[in-house]
Amino acid sequence: MDLDYETLVVFSKSWGLFYLMAFFLAVVVYAFWPSNRKLFDRAKKSILDKDDRP
């Protein structure tokens, strides 16, 4: 099998696109998973609960 520059570029562009799409879908599924709602709600409100002064 002859691996030249053009072959590697086509391979990396196509599989890199699939990799990034899969990563994006995994992040979206994690963010909208029903059992993570409490975790994200707590994180959303925790910044407002602390009254730190500079």
Side-chain angles (χ1 to χ4, degrees):
M1 184 171 168
D2 187 23
L3 291 177
D4 59 347
Y5 177 75
E6 294 297 325
T7 306
L8 290 176
V9 167
V10 169
F11 178 77
S12 65
K13 282 184 178 182
S14 62
W15 286 104
L17 176 65
F18 292 136
Y19 169 75
L20 289 176
M21 287 173 56
F23 183 73
F24 172 76
L25 288 175
V27 169
V28 169
V29 167
Y30 174 76
F32 289 106
W33 200 258
S35 63
N36 290 333
R37 179 179 296 270
K38 289 180 185 178
L39 176 71
F40 291 135
D41 284 341
R42 189 175 68 227
K44 178 176 66 174
K45 294 175 184 175
S46 69
I47 192 75
L48 301 174
D49 290 340
K50 296 180 181 178
D51 189 23
D52 291 337
R53 297 186 186 254

